[in-house]
Amino acid sequence: MTIRLPDSGGTLRTYEPRTEPLAVTPGTPFTSRTVFSAAHVVADPYADVSPDSPAAVDWDATLAFRRHLWSHGLGVAEAMDTAQRGMGLDWAGAAELIRRSAAEAKSVGGLIACGVGTDQLPATEIGHPYSLAEIRAAYEEQLALVEESGAQAILMASRALAAVAKGPEDYLEVYGHLLRQASEPVILHWLGPMFDPALEGYWGATDLDAATRTFLDVIAAHPDKVDGIKVSLLDAQREIDIRRRLPQGVRCYTGDDFNYPELIAGDDQGFSHALLGIFDPLGPLAAEAVRVLDTGDVRGFRGLLDPTVELSRHLFQTPTRFYKTGVVFLAWLAGHQSHFTMVGGLQSARSLPHFAKAYELADGLGLFPDPKLAEERMKTLLSVYGVNQ
């Protein structure tokens, strides 16, 4: 059987789908790395909503996908960028997601960490001068909910803080206050502007060397309250440099969806753990690779994970913030959900050639548990666009 797929130039070409999936099975927790997958949310396709309405979530399908990740030994990073936080999922929806996922994690013994931000501050007011006290209070509200749920907290970057901070001292004040208040060590998240343009100049400088110094100053002042950092700058060497400057005991969780195999494998001076959006579609394969790494087989680990980078770079291509569309698309093809509808209508954020390439790359990796189902769903999408097979 073959399928006709459009390339970036609009030309239809013939592709022969794979007939067998990659053979992977659920397994035990990892021993050499801590690995989180930032997980997407499944929209309710029957809800009568508009792109700017509060998100309508299919809770059963959303939680089922998290159980899928936990079954392979992966942790779940909840209510993060991959869950369309700030791109369709507002704070009310995120709070409900945190409560439900944390309870589900407790019931199955799954590892979970949840995003803490300031997105309950009205988006229309982001350009207005919030006080640092108001920003701290917003963070505090979300931190309290995450801690009450029993999950680990991930202190995410704040659009409101980026908009009003006058310099590094404001970041030191806000983060210092939150770290002193946190009951357990947190993960600090540095999300670059390629993922969210509103975060340009975070840590008080557009110069990344200066921003890095402030970031490290925050950690150095409170090393006992920082479990680790998540760096999402798509710059492998900068992550390595930051990793080598961390205080003893503070972990680096790579958020680099372009260079993750080499960063997780590490070098003679250390390695990164992982908190990655690409591990949403790669879950079983990524878990298999980390278990190989647990045995000390770096070559085998790279042999499994290196071939996935082309798919990841494709999904995360500019505009990077729309990578969630490809992630949900692949979840639909893989049978994790019955439809390709996203909160905020973001299923329209990528082109048909982009989807076709994502299907081909994922199929080539054996990511689809049922390749025939994936092929049929891809043909259905193609027919909507007027491509006859």
Side-chain angles (χ1 to χ4, degrees), residues 43 68 71 102 156 158 168 348:
H68 154 72
S71 75
M156 301 193 301
S158 164
S348 65

Side-chain angles (χ1 to χ4, degrees), residues 7 25 30 38 81 85 120 132 150 223 236 247 254 257 316:
D7 62 22
T25 56
F30 313 124
D81 188 55
R85 187 84 178 263
Q120 69 270 54
L132 294 184
T254 187
D257 299 277
F316 284 77

Side-chain angles (χ1 to χ4, degrees), residues 40 82 277-278 280-281 315-316 323-332:
H40 74 280
T82 307
I278 191 57
D280 179 305
L315 297 183
F316 284 77
Y323 76 87
K324 298 93 164 172
T325 301
V327 165
V328 175
F329 171 66
L330 294 181
W332 172 56

Side-chain angles (χ1 to χ4, degrees), residues 33-48:
R33 303 290 189 273
T34 300
V35 180
F36 290 95
S37 166
H40 74 280
V41 293
V42 182
D44 178 354
Y46 307 120
D48 184 12

Side-chain angles (χ1 to χ4, degrees), residues 28-110:
T28 57
F30 313 124
T31 58
S32 65
R33 303 290 189 273
T34 300
V35 180
F36 290 95
S37 166
H40 74 280
V41 293
V42 182
D44 178 354
Y46 307 120
D48 184 12
V49 294
S50 64
D52 57 357
S53 298
V57 176
D58 180 337
W59 294 112
D60 290 341
T62 293
L63 294 176
F65 188 77
R66 280 135 184 81
R67 291 193 297 271
H68 154 72
L69 294 173
W70 284 319
S71 75
H72 288 277
L74 297 161
V76 168
E78 190 55 277
M80 302 290 291
D81 188 55
T82 307
Q84 294 181 245
R85 187 84 178 263
M87 291 184 68
L89 187 71
D90 61 13
W91 167 236
E96 183 67 13
L97 180 63
I98 289 167
R99 292 187 192 98
R100 289 176 180 258
S101 291
E104 195 72 17
K106 189 177 299 183
S107 72
V108 302

